[in-house]
PDB file of all heavy atoms in Angstrom:
ATOM      1  N   GLU R 136       8.621  31.594 -14.436  1.00 94.00           N
ATOM      2  CA  GLU R 136       9.328  32.182 -15.568  1.00 94.00           C
ATOM      3  C   GLU R 136      10.683  32.702 -15.095  1.00 94.00           C
ATOM      4  O   GLU R 136      10.906  32.895 -13.892  1.00 94.00           O
ATOM      5  CB  GLU R 136       8.514  33.329 -16.169  1.00 94.00           C
ATOM      6  CG  GLU R 136       7.156  32.931 -16.706  1.00 94.00           C
ATOM      7  CD  GLU R 136       7.251  32.056 -17.950  1.00 94.00           C
ATOM      8  OE1 GLU R 136       8.215  32.250 -18.727  1.00 94.00           O
ATOM      9  OE2 GLU R 136       6.369  31.207 -18.141  1.00 94.00           O
ATOM     10  N   SER R 139      10.236  35.674 -12.982  1.00 91.00           N
ATOM     11  CA  SER R 139       9.445  35.567 -11.752  1.00 91.00           C
ATOM     12  C   SER R 139      10.354  35.875 -10.564  1.00 91.00           C
ATOM     13  O   SER R 139      11.561  35.635 -10.607  1.00 91.00           O
ATOM     14  CB  SER R 139       8.878  34.159 -11.599  1.00 91.00           C
ATOM     15  OG  SER R 139       8.003  33.844 -12.652  1.00 91.00           O
ATOM     16  N   LYS R 149       4.888  26.676  -1.395  1.00 92.00           N
ATOM     17  CA  LYS R 149       4.153  26.537  -0.134  1.00 92.00           C
ATOM     18  C   LYS R 149       2.703  26.153  -0.393  1.00 92.00           C
ATOM     19  O   LYS R 149       2.167  25.240   0.253  1.00 92.00           O
ATOM     20  CB  LYS R 149       4.233  27.838   0.655  1.00 92.00           C
ATOM     21  CG  LYS R 149       3.529  27.760   2.006  1.00 92.00           C
ATOM     22  CD  LYS R 149       3.685  29.044   2.788  1.00 92.00           C
ATOM     23  CE  LYS R 149       2.985  28.947   4.144  1.00 92.00           C
ATOM     24  NZ  LYS R 149       3.123  30.202   4.939  1.00 92.00           N
ATOM     25  N   ALA R 181      19.735  35.573  10.238  1.00 42.00           N
ATOM     26  CA  ALA R 181      20.527  36.374  11.188  1.00 42.00           C
ATOM     27  C   ALA R 181      20.776  37.790  10.668  1.00 42.00           C
ATOM     28  O   ALA R 181      21.477  38.579  11.299  1.00 42.00           O
ATOM     29  CB  ALA R 181      21.864  35.688  11.451  1.00 42.00           C
ATOM     30  N   LEU R 184      18.596  43.212   8.447  1.00 50.00           N
ATOM     31  CA  LEU R 184      17.639  43.927   7.607  1.00 50.00           C
ATOM     32  C   LEU R 184      16.242  43.891   8.223  1.00 50.00           C
ATOM     33  O   LEU R 184      15.871  42.917   8.882  1.00 50.00           O
ATOM     34  CB  LEU R 184      17.591  43.311   6.204  1.00 50.00           C
ATOM     35  CG  LEU R 184      18.870  43.399   5.361  1.00 50.00           C
ATOM     36  CD1 LEU R 184      18.692  42.627   4.061  1.00 50.00           C
ATOM     37  CD2 LEU R 184      19.229  44.850   5.077  1.00 50.00           C
ATOM     38  N   ARG R 199      15.986  34.127 -12.765  1.00 87.00           N
ATOM     39  CA  ARG R 199      17.160  34.096 -13.637  1.00 87.00           C
ATOM     40  C   ARG R 199      18.444  34.357 -12.844  1.00 87.00           C
ATOM     41  O   ARG R 199      19.530  33.968 -13.271  1.00 87.00           O
ATOM     42  CB  ARG R 199      17.020  35.103 -14.778  1.00 87.00           C
ATOM     43  CG  ARG R 199      17.042  36.553 -14.382  1.00 87.00           C
ATOM     44  CD  ARG R 199      17.139  37.462 -15.610  1.00 87.00           C
ATOM     45  NE  ARG R 199      15.972  37.374 -16.466  1.00 87.00           N
ATOM     46  CZ  ARG R 199      15.963  36.732 -17.641  1.00 87.00           C
ATOM     47  NH1 ARG R 199      17.050  36.124 -18.072  1.00 87.00           N
ATOM     48  NH2 ARG R 199      14.873  36.702 -18.380  1.00 87.00           N
ATOM     49  N   ASP R 200      18.319  35.019 -11.695  1.00 84.00           N
ATOM     50  CA  ASP R 200      19.493  35.329 -10.875  1.00 84.00           C
ATOM     51  C   ASP R 200      19.982  34.120 -10.085  1.00 84.00           C
ATOM     52  O   ASP R 200      21.131  34.107  -9.620  1.00 84.00           O
ATOM     53  CB  ASP R 200      19.178  36.457  -9.886  1.00 84.00           C
ATOM     54  CG  ASP R 200      18.791  37.751 -10.588  1.00 84.00           C
ATOM     55  OD1 ASP R 200      19.363  38.041 -11.652  1.00 84.00           O
ATOM     56  OD2 ASP R 200      17.911  38.464 -10.062  1.00 84.00           O
ATOM     57  N   LYS R 205      25.466  26.543 -14.819  1.00 67.00           N
ATOM     58  CA  LYS R 205      26.006  25.367 -15.494  1.00 67.00           C
ATOM     59  C   LYS R 205      25.135  24.128 -15.244  1.00 67.00           C
ATOM     60  O   LYS R 205      25.591  22.999 -15.324  1.00 67.00           O
ATOM     61  CB  LYS R 205      27.437  25.102 -15.033  1.00 67.00           C
ATOM     62  CG  LYS R 205      28.405  26.217 -15.402  1.00 67.00           C
ATOM     63  CD  LYS R 205      29.824  25.872 -14.954  1.00 67.00           C
ATOM     64  CE  LYS R 205      30.792  26.980 -15.336  1.00 67.00           C
ATOM     65  NZ  LYS R 205      32.193  26.662 -14.907  1.00 67.00           N
ATOM     66  N   LYS R 222      16.902   5.526 -12.553  1.00 95.00           N
ATOM     67  CA  LYS R 222      18.333   5.431 -12.853  1.00 95.00           C
ATOM     68  C   LYS R 222      18.926   6.824 -13.114  1.00 95.00           C
ATOM     69  O   LYS R 222      20.003   7.158 -12.611  1.00 95.00           O
ATOM     70  CB  LYS R 222      18.549   4.529 -14.062  1.00 95.00           C
ATOM     71  CG  LYS R 222      20.002   4.239 -14.400  1.00 95.00           C
ATOM     72  CD  LYS R 222      20.078   3.160 -15.479  1.00 95.00           C
ATOM     73  CE  LYS R 222      21.532   2.816 -15.819  1.00 95.00           C
ATOM     74  NZ  LYS R 222      22.203   3.890 -16.573  1.00 95.00           N
ATOM     75  N   THR R 228      21.914  12.460  -8.915  1.00 90.00           N
ATOM     76  CA  THR R 228      21.586  12.944  -7.567  1.00 90.00           C
ATOM     77  C   THR R 228      20.545  14.055  -7.610  1.00 90.00           C
ATOM     78  O   THR R 228      20.738  15.145  -7.060  1.00 90.00           O
ATOM     79  CB  THR R 228      22.851  13.433  -6.828  1.00 90.00           C
ATOM     80  OG1 THR R 228      23.952  12.576  -7.120  1.00 90.00           O
ATOM     81  CG2 THR R 228      22.633  13.416  -5.325  1.00 90.00           C
ATOM     82  N   GLY R 231      13.837  14.877  -8.831  1.00 91.00           N
ATOM     83  CA  GLY R 231      12.696  15.047  -9.721  1.00 91.00           C
ATOM     84  C   GLY R 231      13.149  15.312 -11.142  1.00 91.00           C
ATOM     85  O   GLY R 231      14.245  15.834 -11.361  1.00 91.00           O
ATOM     86  N   GLY R 238       9.297  18.422 -27.130  1.00 89.00           N
ATOM     87  CA  GLY R 238       9.741  19.763 -26.770  1.00 89.00           C
ATOM     88  C   GLY R 238       8.835  20.492 -25.802  1.00 89.00           C
ATOM     89  O   GLY R 238       9.165  21.605 -25.376  1.00 89.00           O
ATOM     90  N   VAL R 241       5.147  18.386 -20.173  1.00 95.00           N
ATOM     91  CA  VAL R 241       3.836  17.750 -19.999  1.00 95.00           C
ATOM     92  C   VAL R 241       3.634  17.200 -18.588  1.00 95.00           C
ATOM     93  O   VAL R 241       2.548  16.732 -18.247  1.00 95.00           O
ATOM     94  CB  VAL R 241       3.612  16.619 -21.022  1.00 95.00           C
ATOM     95  CG1 VAL R 241       3.572  17.180 -22.437  1.00 95.00           C
ATOM     96  CG2 VAL R 241       4.694  15.552 -20.898  1.00 95.00           C
ATOM     97  N   VAL R 244       7.991  14.100 -12.725  1.00 96.00           N
ATOM     98  CA  VAL R 244       8.014  12.858 -11.951  1.00 96.00           C
ATOM     99  C   VAL R 244       9.045  13.024 -10.848  1.00 96.00           C
ATOM    100  O   VAL R 244      10.148  13.521 -11.087  1.00 96.00           O
ATOM    101  CB  VAL R 244       8.317  11.634 -12.848  1.00 96.00           C
ATOM    102  CG1 VAL R 244       9.693  11.724 -13.495  1.00 96.00           C
ATOM    103  CG2 VAL R 244       8.164  10.330 -12.076  1.00 96.00           C
ATOM    104  N   ILE R 249       8.306   7.643  -7.853  1.00 93.00           N
ATOM    105  CA  ILE R 249       9.095   6.431  -8.095  1.00 93.00           C
ATOM    106  C   ILE R 249       8.886   5.427  -6.966  1.00 93.00           C
ATOM    107  O   ILE R 249       8.654   4.236  -7.198  1.00 93.00           O
ATOM    108  CB  ILE R 249      10.598   6.769  -8.212  1.00 93.00           C
ATOM    109  CG1 ILE R 249      10.848   7.745  -9.374  1.00 93.00           C
ATOM    110  CG2 ILE R 249      11.422   5.496  -8.379  1.00 93.00           C
ATOM    111  CD1 ILE R 249      10.621   7.179 -10.734  1.00 93.00           C
ATOM    112  N   THR R 264       3.142 -13.945   1.581  1.00 90.00           N
ATOM    113  CA  THR R 264       4.354 -14.618   2.063  1.00 90.00           C
ATOM    114  C   THR R 264       5.506 -14.260   1.138  1.00 90.00           C
ATOM    115  O   THR R 264       5.391 -14.364  -0.084  1.00 90.00           O
ATOM    116  CB  THR R 264       4.180 -16.149   2.077  1.00 90.00           C
ATOM    117  OG1 THR R 264       3.126 -16.492   2.971  1.00 90.00           O
ATOM    118  CG2 THR R 264       5.462 -16.831   2.541  1.00 90.00           C
ATOM    119  N   VAL R 270      18.686 -19.200  -6.633  1.00 87.00           N
ATOM    120  CA  VAL R 270      18.259 -20.040  -7.758  1.00 87.00           C
ATOM    121  C   VAL R 270      19.468 -20.548  -8.532  1.00 87.00           C
ATOM    122  O   VAL R 270      20.547 -19.962  -8.498  1.00 87.00           O
ATOM    123  CB  VAL R 270      17.319 -19.268  -8.714  1.00 87.00           C
ATOM    124  CG1 VAL R 270      16.046 -18.863  -8.002  1.00 87.00           C
ATOM    125  CG2 VAL R 270      18.012 -18.027  -9.290  1.00 87.00           C
ATOM    126  N   GLY R 275      15.772 -22.139 -17.445  1.00 81.00           N
ATOM    127  CA  GLY R 275      14.636 -22.917 -16.968  1.00 81.00           C
ATOM    128  C   GLY R 275      14.381 -22.844 -15.474  1.00 81.00           C
ATOM    129  O   GLY R 275      13.371 -23.368 -14.996  1.00 81.00           O
ATOM    130  N   THR R 281       8.104 -21.255 -10.963  1.00 88.00           N
ATOM    131  CA  THR R 281       6.720 -20.829 -11.185  1.00 88.00           C
ATOM    132  C   THR R 281       5.812 -22.022 -11.468  1.00 88.00           C
ATOM    133  O   THR R 281       4.645 -22.029 -11.065  1.00 88.00           O
ATOM    134  CB  THR R 281       6.627 -19.818 -12.346  1.00 88.00           C
ATOM    135  OG1 THR R 281       7.219 -20.380 -13.527  1.00 88.00           O
ATOM    136  CG2 THR R 281       7.348 -18.526 -11.987  1.00 88.00           C
ATOM    137  N   ILE R 284       4.879 -23.605  -8.161  1.00 91.00           N
ATOM    138  CA  ILE R 284       3.851 -22.834  -7.461  1.00 91.00           C
ATOM    139  C   ILE R 284       2.488 -23.038  -8.127  1.00 91.00           C
ATOM    140  O   ILE R 284       1.465 -23.229  -7.452  1.00 91.00           O
ATOM    141  CB  ILE R 284       4.200 -21.329  -7.444  1.00 91.00           C
ATOM    142  CG1 ILE R 284       5.574 -21.095  -6.791  1.00 91.00           C
ATOM    143  CG2 ILE R 284       3.126 -20.534  -6.723  1.00 91.00           C
ATOM    144  CD1 ILE R 284       5.674 -21.556  -5.370  1.00 91.00           C
ATOM    145  N   ASP R 288      -1.659 -24.604  -7.179  1.00 90.00           N
ATOM    146  CA  ASP R 288      -2.799 -23.692  -7.334  1.00 90.00           C
ATOM    147  C   ASP R 288      -2.661 -22.469  -6.422  1.00 90.00           C
ATOM    148  O   ASP R 288      -3.619 -22.025  -5.793  1.00 90.00           O
ATOM    149  CB  ASP R 288      -4.117 -24.424  -7.032  1.00 90.00           C
ATOM    150  CG  ASP R 288      -5.323 -23.665  -7.587  1.00 90.00           C
ATOM    151  OD1 ASP R 288      -5.142 -22.935  -8.571  1.00 90.00           O
ATOM    152  OD2 ASP R 288      -6.423 -23.798  -7.010  1.00 90.00           O
ATOM    153  N   LYS R 304      25.824 -15.325  -6.351  1.00 86.00           N
ATOM    154  CA  LYS R 304      24.742 -16.210  -6.780  1.00 86.00           C
ATOM    155  C   LYS R 304      23.539 -15.357  -7.185  1.00 86.00           C
ATOM    156  O   LYS R 304      23.431 -14.195  -6.800  1.00 86.00           O
ATOM    157  CB  LYS R 304      24.311 -17.132  -5.629  1.00 86.00           C
ATOM    158  CG  LYS R 304      25.355 -18.108  -5.147  1.00 86.00           C
ATOM    159  CD  LYS R 304      24.791 -18.935  -3.987  1.00 86.00           C
ATOM    160  CE  LYS R 304      25.814 -19.911  -3.429  1.00 86.00           C
ATOM    161  NZ  LYS R 304      25.259 -20.684  -2.277  1.00 86.00           N
ATOM    162  N   LYS R 306      19.710 -14.498  -6.795  1.00 91.00           N
ATOM    163  CA  LYS R 306      18.734 -14.595  -5.721  1.00 91.00           C
ATOM    164  C   LYS R 306      17.347 -14.256  -6.247  1.00 91.00           C
ATOM    165  O   LYS R 306      17.181 -13.333  -7.041  1.00 91.00           O
ATOM    166  CB  LYS R 306      19.107 -13.636  -4.582  1.00 91.00           C
ATOM    167  CG  LYS R 306      18.195 -13.701  -3.374  1.00 91.00           C
ATOM    168  CD  LYS R 306      18.701 -12.760  -2.287  1.00 91.00           C
ATOM    169  CE  LYS R 306      17.836 -12.783  -1.055  1.00 91.00           C
ATOM    170  NZ  LYS R 306      18.350 -11.888  -0.002  1.00 91.00           N
ATOM    171  N   VAL R 319       5.474 -25.285   0.208  1.00 91.00           N
ATOM    172  CA  VAL R 319       6.215 -24.674  -0.897  1.00 91.00           C
ATOM    173  C   VAL R 319       7.704 -24.642  -0.580  1.00 91.00           C
ATOM    174  O   VAL R 319       8.551 -25.009  -1.411  1.00 91.00           O
ATOM    175  CB  VAL R 319       5.710 -23.239  -1.168  1.00 91.00           C
ATOM    176  CG1 VAL R 319       6.591 -22.549  -2.221  1.00 91.00           C
ATOM    177  CG2 VAL R 319       4.266 -23.259  -1.626  1.00 91.00           C
ATOM    178  N   GLU R 322       9.282 -28.119  -0.782  1.00 92.00           N
ATOM    179  CA  GLU R 322       9.491 -28.598  -2.156  1.00 92.00           C
ATOM    180  C   GLU R 322      10.658 -27.868  -2.820  1.00 92.00           C
ATOM    181  O   GLU R 322      11.426 -28.466  -3.577  1.00 92.00           O
ATOM    182  CB  GLU R 322       8.220 -28.431  -2.983  1.00 92.00           C
ATOM    183  CG  GLU R 322       8.342 -29.084  -4.355  1.00 92.00           C
ATOM    184  CD  GLU R 322       7.015 -29.232  -5.073  1.00 92.00           C
ATOM    185  OE1 GLU R 322       5.960 -28.897  -4.485  1.00 92.00           O
ATOM    186  OE2 GLU R 322       7.040 -29.681  -6.236  1.00 92.00           O
ATOM    187  N   GLU R 329      18.393 -23.096  -2.265  1.00 91.00           N
ATOM    188  CA  GLU R 329      18.874 -22.674  -0.952  1.00 91.00           C
ATOM    189  C   GLU R 329      17.980 -21.565  -0.399  1.00 91.00           C
ATOM    190  O   GLU R 329      17.989 -20.438  -0.901  1.00 91.00           O
ATOM    191  CB  GLU R 329      20.310 -22.168  -1.070  1.00 91.00           C
ATOM    192  CG  GLU R 329      20.912 -21.685   0.241  1.00 91.00           C
ATOM    193  CD  GLU R 329      22.267 -21.026   0.048  1.00 91.00           C
ATOM    194  OE1 GLU R 329      22.879 -21.165  -1.033  1.00 91.00           O
ATOM    195  OE2 GLU R 329      22.711 -20.336   0.991  1.00 91.00           O
ATOM    196  N   VAL R 333      12.105 -16.684   5.113  1.00 92.00           N
ATOM    197  CA  VAL R 333      10.666 -16.697   4.811  1.00 92.00           C
ATOM    198  C   VAL R 333       9.991 -15.733   5.765  1.00 92.00           C
ATOM    199  O   VAL R 333      10.290 -15.719   6.967  1.00 92.00           O
ATOM    200  CB  VAL R 333      10.062 -18.115   4.976  1.00 92.00           C
ATOM    201  CG1 VAL R 333       8.577 -18.085   4.609  1.00 92.00           C
ATOM    202  CG2 VAL R 333      10.805 -19.120   4.118  1.00 92.00           C
ATOM    203  N   LEU R 334       9.081 -14.921   5.244  1.00 89.00           N
ATOM    204  CA  LEU R 334       8.438 -13.930   6.095  1.00 89.00           C
ATOM    205  C   LEU R 334       7.014 -13.689   5.616  1.00 89.00           C
ATOM    206  O   LEU R 334       6.763 -13.536   4.420  1.00 89.00           O
ATOM    207  CB  LEU R 334       9.218 -12.613   6.038  1.00 89.00           C
ATOM    208  CG  LEU R 334       8.664 -11.443   6.858  1.00 89.00           C
ATOM    209  CD1 LEU R 334       8.763 -11.740   8.348  1.00 89.00           C
ATOM    210  CD2 LEU R 334       9.419 -10.160   6.509  1.00 89.00           C
ATOM    211  N   ASP R 337       2.392  -8.494   6.508  1.00 79.00           N
ATOM    212  CA  ASP R 337       1.052  -7.938   6.653  1.00 79.00           C
ATOM    213  C   ASP R 337       0.944  -6.658   5.857  1.00 79.00           C
ATOM    214  O   ASP R 337       1.892  -5.865   5.833  1.00 79.00           O
ATOM    215  CB  ASP R 337       0.757  -7.677   8.127  1.00 79.00           C
ATOM    216  CG  ASP R 337      -0.706  -7.335   8.365  1.00 79.00           C
ATOM    217  OD1 ASP R 337      -1.088  -6.197   8.029  1.00 79.00           O
ATOM    218  OD2 ASP R 337      -1.443  -8.202   8.861  1.00 79.00           O
TER     219      ASP R 337
END
Side-chain angles (χ1 to χ4, degrees):
E136 299 291 327
S139 298
K149 182 177 180 180
L184 296 175
R199 67 170 65 255
D200 299 324
K205 296 182 179 180
K222 186 171 181 288
T228 321
V241 296
V244 62
I249 300 292
T264 298
V270 297
T281 55
I284 303 300
D288 198 27
K304 296 179 182 179
K306 183 177 180 179
V319 174
E322 188 166 356
E329 179 187 346
V333 182
L334 179 67
D337 190 285

